[in-house]
Amino acid sequence: MILVMDFGGQYSKLIGRRIRELGVYCEIVPYDYSIEKIKGKAPEGIIFSGGPASVYGEKSLKCDMDVFKLGVPILGICYGNQLMAETLGGKVSKASTREYGKTEVDIDNDSLLFKGLNNKITAWMSHTDFIEKA
């Protein structure tokens, strides 16, 4: 079971659908889902979705810090990735220019996460922030 924590991004349902198309059970829950409820679902992995906010903003969305103590893999996408960096001691900064549109991404397909993918893929991006320090 994979749990998708929704941080307000427009792709949370698409992420869930793609996981289900792979034959894996998946549920989408809000970003502030309680740690007790997460434990009750016993996910084998968690995905933090994207979202429109900046992690260092006054109204940034946060999850319970205990989610990082569950011992399950967590994949952060866009905002979710930046939230992980900011929460776990990294630094997220504002980019000098905004990125938007298609871009070619180099993939390390020796990695277990990306195994079976081509070494270059096209991805959509819409970013104002970036991870300055992991």
Side-chain angles (χ1 to χ4, degrees):
M1 194 284 238
I2 300 296
L3 201 63
V4 176
M5 296 183 73
D6 184 357
F7 285 87
Q10 58 191 12
Y11 294 106
S12 295
K13 289 181 180 175
L14 176 62
I15 293 166
R17 189 181 88 213
R18 294 289 189 205
I19 292 167
R20 290 180 194 111
E21 286 173 354
L22 294 170
V24 176
Y25 181 72
C26 169
E27 289 186 27
I28 300 169
V29 299
Y31 70 92
D32 58 353
Y33 207 63
S34 76
I35 195 68
E36 292 78 23
K37 288 180 180 177
I38 293 171
K39 286 179 182 177
K41 299 231 177 250
E44 293 182 52
I46 297 173
I47 296 176
F48 290 172
S49 76
S54 291
V55 295
Y56 51 78
E58 204 173 292
K59 296 182 180 181
S60 64
L61 306 179
K62 307 279 191 219
C63 62
D64 190 312
M65 285 291 295
D66 286 341
V67 74
F68 296 106
K69 298 175 184 172
L70 293 174
V72 300
I74 300 173
L75 172 65
I77 299 174
C78 296
Y79 179 91
N81 188 34
Q82 294 169 7
L83 176 66
M84 289 173 58
E86 185 81 3
T87 302
L88 299 173
K91 180 171 173 60
V92 177
S93 298
K94 184 177 262 333
S96 58
T97 59
R98 184 169 191 231
E99 299 177 306
Y100 181 79
K102 286 189 213 181
T103 190
E104 192 171 86
V105 178
D106 294 321
I107 299 293
D108 175 6
N109 50 10
D110 291 332
S111 160
L112 181 60
L113 181 61
F114 301 117
K115 191 174 187 121
L117 293 178
N118 292 326
N119 62 347
K120 290 191 184 290
I121 63 170
T122 300
W124 282 95
M125 61 177 182
S126 175
H127 297 111
T128 304
D129 296 335
F130 70 100
I131 298 173
E132 186 172 327
K133 177 182 173 268

